[in-house]
Amino acid sequence: MNNPIQNLSRRGFLQGAAGLTLGLSLPAFAAKAGAAAAQAAVAPFEPTPFLRIGADNTVTVLSKHLEMGQGTYTGLATIVAEELDAAWPQVKVEGAPADAKRFNNLAFGPMQGTGGSTAMANSWDQLRQTGATARAMLVSAAAKRWNVPAAEITVREGVVSHAASKRRATFGELAEAAAAEAVPASVTLKDPKDFRLIGKHANRKDSFAKTNGSAQFTQDVHLPGMLVAVVAHSPRFGGKVKSFDASKAKAIKGVIDVVAIPGAVAVLAKDTWTAKKGRDALTVEWDDSAAFKLGTDEMRASYQALGQTPGLVARKDGDANAALAGAGKVVSASYDFPYLAHAAMEPMNCVIQRTADGLDVWNGEQFQTVDQGALAAMFNLPPEKVNIHMLYAGGSFGRRASTKVDYIREAASIVKALGEGAHAKAPVKLVWMREDDMKAGYYRPMFHHRLEATLDADGSIRAWRHRLVGQSIAKGSPFEGFMIKDGVDGLSVEGAATLPYAIPNLQVELHTPAGIDVPVLWWRSVGSTHTAYSTETFLDRLAVEGGQDPVALRLKLLASHPRHAAVLRLAADKAGWGTPLPKGKAGERRGRGVAVHESFHSFVAQVAEVTVAADGSVKVDRIVAAVDCGMAINPDNIRSQIEGSVGFALSAALHGEITLKDGVVEQGNFGEYAPIRINEMPRVDVHIVASAEKPTGIGEPGVPPVAPAVANAIAAATGKWLTRMPFRTDELKA
């Protein structure tokens, strides 16, 4: 097999990688620098940019992807360790530096970044090659040292052995000799039947550090002389600073400076709390002359009006318009979806320090290349002079992959605003409060959907027309060129334009309304967050109208999509589809519902069981999920991601809504934008389809089917179809 990484340098990237832990505290930096100097005499074995084996027998995997709780570090390390035959305890993971030449996301093109559930999929072949290459070089070094044929040497649990001579050596003992070996032009990869780590249990590589407090997040960074900045933002998007009075802020002990930056005012202090008090003491007069001033109700009404008119065609099979105008029973439904905040547990933050010839940046870094390029342009630097240290992130759900580089640009603007004064070289940590992120951040777009279908006498769906109205995420971003085709943003219609059901006349149309200036961004599973809901609940409605079982109808329409059908059958079987649910208490109604959806090349079906009380309140009792995400690298992680997806999706379905009044976001914290509580979390049963296909994504695909499965279960229990999210319990009263 040809080795695609054979020409990558085995040396020269350690210097960049070694800086990843710098800046956390002066003692920590000194300790790590001393340790690095002590080991400098013995150069590590670095067969590719993704792997380093030290003389101390440590196997370090360099992750080009951010660990934000989704298990990326563990998955990537598993791939390398499997082909390398390393012992799992000797493997550790570091975040790679920002360098798209070496750490390019193969799914994104010439760019380093994490998103779209691509980490495992784009790294699979690359990291298998890495592990196998290093293993071959270790074996070659041992064969030369012992003067035995390489074919007689075995590797297991980090030990290289020759049974006949009873010689053994650890990776660390062979590292220096292996580094002198030529990188092989091709290597043989393991047969999956021989896997010992992939598909098995492996302890997560980030859990221990997160448990004992040693894990480093941006908020943990403390540099000598560092200032903390908290920012006052306009209450309306597009608002500007007309004037401000900083006298009360500067009177607070510990406030160091107050500076104006584009569209905002920043207060700098020695600590976060003092900076916040200073920010709150500011008097700012805002210029709203060019600000966005519409409210949710006005936008929704305009969206609904657009939904009555033809849009740009995103998909056209047959002639849906003619079929809808002809004979047959026409069924229609409209759906409204709100803006949603990402609400990651760690709000946005970033640390930037000027260096002699560039910048050092510490961040839960998700879009290295985009952020590096933006900062380089701001400071008139070559990108390689912007040194980004990738730390852990306390969640993201898409928020840290900002196409506008918003909060990082803000931190950089504060650094620039310090000018040449006493604090010109001071590192700056920008800290957003929860309210800052919820009121001045980015959101999942608000959408309106209108669907119409026609049924033949036997219940067959002859035509289907789906119109969507909502903002484009890609427009104005670096990704516009390939994400928007003929005016249609693929992110807006994914899941609708890719509907797998065999319907002879199918048309999908999109309106992207002008003049809506609310900042929008991808939100965990992006367009599928709303398209899965409308398509899967509408299909259930058609099943009822046509007198068909929802699972049977789906299977009939999925005859040419075996992977969709397989997860659907598995979920239905494990959930006991077709058997009666136990009766609830007096006044309670119980129901079971199903949904299946493909996103990010993974297939997930879910069956929900719900109880609806007489007052309309909904309790989701159980979710049964079946997952096909290709080769299961870490089954435990797949289960945890589905469980987390259920909680995340239910938060939106039951509670999530960002609303605007006169252009001002009305929610500010978890009191007004509540995640689900533990008593609302259902039992989740996850079943993984055994697969020999290459791995695909799992961080996002578990989200889309949750809400429609629950809504279909509610409809089965009550006969009422919920067409607006979050669910309105007053619509479900007995």
Side-chain angles (χ1 to χ4, degrees):
M1 180 179 294
N2 181 49
N3 188 341
I5 55 178
Q6 61 179 303
N7 294 320
L8 293 171
S9 172
R10 291 185 286 141
R11 309 228 180 241
F13 71 94
L14 177 60
Q15 185 174 2
L20 290 171
T21 52
L22 297 180
L24 306 173
S25 66
L26 191 57
F29 166 70
K32 290 183 179 294
Q39 294 184 13
V42 181
F45 169 38
E46 303 166 18
T48 84
F50 308 101
L51 177 62
R52 183 170 68 240
I53 300 176
D56 63 353
N57 207 35
T58 299
V59 173
T60 302
V61 175
L62 275 80
S63 171
K64 62 182 181 180
H65 294 288
L66 173 64
E67 176 58 77
M68 46 190 159
Q70 81 280 39
T72 289
Y73 276 14
T74 304
L76 298 180
T78 303
I79 300 170
V80 175
E82 179 65 75
E83 293 290 348
L84 179 60
D85 275 310
W88 190 240
Q90 78 183 116
V91 180
K92 68 175 186 176
V93 187
E94 288 181 5
D99 184 346
K101 292 180 181 177
R102 288 178 288 151
F103 301 111
N104 176 33
N105 184 323
L106 303 178
F108 290 175
M111 174 190 159
Q112 183 180 357
T114 304
S117 297
T118 59
M120 297 305 115
N122 94 94
S123 301
W124 173 247
D125 289 331
Q126 195 174 54
L127 294 188
R128 289 188 74 189
Q129 292 279 348
T130 285
T133 296
R135 184 184 188 279
M137 294 169 73
L138 288 163
V139 167
S140 179
K144 289 180 180 178
R145 178 176 294 183
W146 299 332
N147 195 26
V148 299
E152 295 179 3
I153 292 177
T154 59
V155 185
R156 189 175 180 86
E157 292 289 308
V159 177
V160 182
S161 304
H162 182 247
S165 64
K166 297 184 179 180
R167 289 189 174 98
R168 302 171 77 250
T170 65
F171 288 173
E173 291 168 338
L174 291 168
E176 187 175 10
E181 293 293 313
V183 177
S186 63
V187 289
T188 301
L189 301 179
K190 281 187 178 180
D191 188 311
K193 68 179 177 57
D194 297 322
F195 286 163
R196 296 185 299 106
L197 288 171
I198 291 174
K200 312 296 192 299
H201 171 75
N203 294 328
R204 280 184 60 141
K205 287 299 177 183
D206 56 335
S207 294
F208 186 69
K210 290 177 178 177
T211 302
N212 67 15
S214 63
Q216 298 293 338
F217 296 81
T218 308
Q219 202 62 22
D220 299 315
V221 176
H222 299 285
L223 298 171
M226 186 179 77
L227 300 179
V228 178
V230 176
V231 177
H233 299 101
S234 169
R236 291 185 173 88
F237 302 112
K240 298 179 180 179
V241 178
K242 187 174 184 179
S243 65
F244 68 95
D245 182 352
S247 57
K248 292 181 180 178
K250 290 182 176 180
I252 294 173
K253 184 179 179 181
V255 169
I256 303 299
D257 203 353
V258 178
V259 297
I261 58 174
V265 182
V267 176
L268 295 110
K270 291 292 187 181
D271 59 80
T272 304
W273 182 244
T274 302
K276 180 190 181 301
K277 288 195 297 182
R279 189 273 304 271
D280 295 347
L282 283 173
T283 300
V284 184
E285 185 179 358
W286 299 101
D287 176 3
D288 288 338
S289 58
F292 182 72
K293 297 187 181 72
L294 291 179
T296 300
D297 291 343
E298 298 101 305
M299 286 187 282
R300 184 179 293 121
S302 68
Y303 281 22
Q304 290 172 350
L306 275 175
Q308 299 287 339
T309 65
L312 296 176
V313 176
R315 178 178 172 182
K316 180 177 173 63
D317 298 345
D319 193 339
N321 292 332
L324 284 165
K329 181 178 183 179
V330 176
V331 181
S332 63
S334 294
Y335 299 85
D336 288 293
F337 303 91
Y339 287 110
L340 293 173
H342 300 80
M345 191 57 66
E346 180 189 18
M348 301 305 100
N349 46 20
C350 179
V351 177
I352 299 180
Q353 180 176 30
R354 288 183 189 258
T355 62
D357 61 348
L359 294 177
D360 268 325
V361 181
W362 290 265
N363 184 34
E365 183 60 48
Q366 191 167 354
F367 262 14
Q368 286 90 337
T369 303
V370 174
D371 296 346
Q372 189 179 46
L375 290 174
M378 285 184 70
F379 288 87
N380 195 27
L381 294 168
E384 61 270 16
K385 293 297 183 180
V386 178
N387 183 25
I388 297 179
H389 307 278
M390 180 170 62
L391 307 178
Y392 285 123
S396 172
F397 314 116
R399 178 64 183 91
R400 297 179 200 279
S402 171
T403 59
K404 301 296 193 299
V405 198
D406 64 311
Y407 67 97
I408 296 174
R409 284 185 188 272
E410 189 169 273
S413 295
I414 296 168
V415 170
K416 292 189 75 171
L418 291 175
E420 300 301 324
H423 301 288
K425 297 296 184 182
V428 172
K429 179 195 288 184
L430 171 70
V431 177
W432 278 26
M433 303 293 114
R434 173 69 54 203
E435 290 81 2
D436 298 325
D437 200 21
M438 203 161 283
K439 287 183 173 292
Y442 281 68
Y443 310 92
R444 195 282 305 270
M446 187 175 90
F447 261 85
H448 172 74
H449 293 217
R450 177 172 175 78
L451 288 95
E452 299 167 276
T454 181
L455 295 173
D456 288 338
D458 63 355
S460 298
I461 304 171
R462 186 155 47 89
W464 173 294
R465 185 172 66 202
H466 188 170
R467 287 179 180 154
L468 303 91
V469 184
Q471 285 173 265
S472 165
I473 292 171
K475 187 175 177 60
S477 80
F479 308 98
E480 179 175 351
F482 66 90
M483 286 186 172
I484 299 181
K485 300 295 183 185
D486 299 322
V488 174
D489 184 343
L491 299 173
S492 296
V493 298
E494 62 184 0
T498 55
L499 196 73
Y501 300 119
I503 299 170
N505 302 288
L506 189 151
Q507 186 155 313
V508 179
E509 303 170 8
L510 174 67
H511 287 282
T512 304
I516 306 298
D517 296 325
V518 179
V520 294
L521 191 59
W522 21 63
W523 188 91
R524 192 177 186 180
S525 69
V526 202
S528 290
T529 61
H530 48 93
T531 59
Y533 187 87
S534 63
T535 57
E536 286 297 290
T537 57
F538 190 60
L539 189 66
D540 251 45
R541 182 178 287 200
L542 295 177
V544 171
E545 293 281 353
Q548 301 187 66
D549 175 81
V551 170
L553 174 60
R554 283 174 171 82
L555 289 173
K556 182 172 70 175
L557 297 174
L558 291 171
S560 60
H561 292 273
R563 295 180 77 178
H564 288 81
V567 291
L568 177 59
R569 287 192 187 93
L570 180 58
D573 177 64
K574 296 296 184 180
W577 187 267
T579 63
L581 285 166
K583 290 186 177 180
K585 299 175 183 176
E588 290 181 341
R589 294 153 291 170
R590 303 202 66 207
R592 188 184 278 129
V594 67
V596 60
H597 192 78
E598 176 192 356
S599 59
F600 307 99
H601 308 294
S602 292
F603 307 83
V604 181
Q606 294 176 356
V607 174
E609 296 172 1
V610 305
T611 300
V612 183
D615 65 356
S617 60
V618 175
K619 177 72 172 72
V620 182
D621 302 306
R622 183 167 77 133
I623 297 283
V624 179
V627 184
D628 177 356
C629 57
M631 180 79 67
I633 297 171
N634 299 120
D636 290 345
N637 195 52
I638 293 171
R639 293 186 187 95
S640 68
Q641 281 299 291
I642 294 295
E643 291 164 356
S645 294
V646 168
F648 187 82
L650 284 180
S651 294
L654 300 178
H655 308 302
E657 185 174 28
I658 291 292
T659 58
L660 285 79
K661 185 174 183 180
D662 301 324
V664 178
V665 172
E666 296 183 291
Q667 292 73 28
N669 209 315
F670 289 132
E672 305 92 44
Y673 189 86
I676 64 167
R677 305 304 187 192
I678 193 65
N679 64 301
E680 297 175 286
M681 186 68 188
R683 169 184 163 186
V684 181
D685 300 332
V686 181
H687 304 277
I688 302 170
V689 174
S691 176
E693 298 288 337
K694 290 184 177 182
T696 49
I698 198 57
E700 300 171 86
V703 172
V706 176
V710 171
N712 289 337
I714 291 170
T718 66
K720 298 178 181 179
W721 302 97
L722 298 174
T723 59
R724 182 173 167 181
M725 293 180 72
F727 299 153
R728 300 314 201 253
T729 56
D730 57 350
E731 298 179 30
L732 300 174
K733 290 179 181 178

